[in-house]
Structures are given as C-alpha cells and as structure tokens.
Amino acid sequence: IQLEGGEMQSIAAASSDLILLTKQAVDARSAYDQAKTQVISANDRKVLLGNNQTLLENRIVELQNSALGRAIASRIDVIFVPYGNEAKFKPGNPLFTCSFTIVLCHRAGTVGAAVPGESNAVHPFFGKPIRGYFVEAMLDDENAASQEIIHAGRPPFFF
C-alpha cells in the first residue's frame, strides 16, 4: 500500500520472504520515480529543442532571402559604398554609369538593400584603402556591373 501512495515510510520486521519482496518493491518504486523524473526532463528538453528548431528555421529563411543567400542560386550584383556616401545609396535611388567615368551617363538600375557588415576596399583612383559596406544593385544593364564607378542619385555634372 505504501508503494502506491508515495514515498516509503518504514518497513516492519517480517519473514525473509517478505523482506526480499519488500526490497524488490522498494527497488521497483525507486526505478519508477527515476523514470518519471527522466520523462519530465525529456519532455522539458523536447519543448526547448522544438523552440530552438523554430528559431533556427526562421534564421535559415532570413539567410536564404538575404543577398548572400540568393547569390547561391542566381546572380546578385553588389556595389561597395564608402563611408560618407551613404546618403546617395538609399534603397530605391537610381544608379548611373558613365563612359569615361563622368560623361555620357545613362541609368543602369536602382539601389537595393544594404548587405550587413563592413568591408575594406581600395579606392579605384587613389589606391588608398577605404572602409564601407555593400548594397545590392538592381541593374537593368548587367554590363554596368563591370564598371569601376557607379553613381547613385543622379549622374555627375547632370549629364
């Protein structure tokens, strides 16, 4: 009866057969209590792992939708933007390429979203290292991707 009601209180002296049976009952109760604790722990861990799985799946979707994730399956053009030029490279602003760097310009596309992180590059004219970040370029003219300089907002000198 004590086995069904919870913890064992005391064991009264009895014959050797009953003592052996009582020991087996105590061992069984102990194994049952341990198994019950393990089931509770496993259920808690299952909930935690389920939450982690959801977070990881959401993060994977975010990464697949980013410019770097999409670049695995298709062409993605990016433009290096030096610090100080951020105002011109806002999403939706027009992009222009020019023959001879600043003359005979035409619209090449629009600025897309910024790629997270900072990068270093070498200035195309002065050869000095500069810091900045990348933005996605939605180019109508794919040849514009090979230009060293792409202007944003407006062409230089209003050409």
Side-chain angles (χ1 to χ4, degrees), residues 8-81:
M8 302 284 292
Q9 300 294 328
S10 64
I11 299 175
S15 70
S16 61
D17 289 342
L18 286 178
I19 290 176
L20 181 59
L21 187 59
T22 302
K23 181 188 179 321
Q24 289 174 348
V26 168
D27 289 346
R29 179 58 188 220
S30 175
Y32 171 79
D33 289 341
Q34 286 179 352
K36 188 176 177 181
T37 301
Q38 288 175 349
V39 166
I40 291 169
S41 175
N43 283 335
D44 291 345
R45 184 160 170 77
K46 180 181 171 187
V47 169
L48 180 65
L49 289 173
N51 292 340
N52 287 345
Q53 179 182 3
T54 301
L55 291 172
L56 288 173
E57 287 171 350
N58 290 342
R59 184 66 181 135
I60 288 170
V61 168
E62 287 175 21
L63 290 172
Q64 287 173 334
N65 291 334
S66 71
L68 294 174
R70 291 190 330 267
I72 293 170
S74 63
R75 175 183 168 147
I76 301 293
D77 295 311
V78 293
I79 299 172
F80 179 76
V81 179

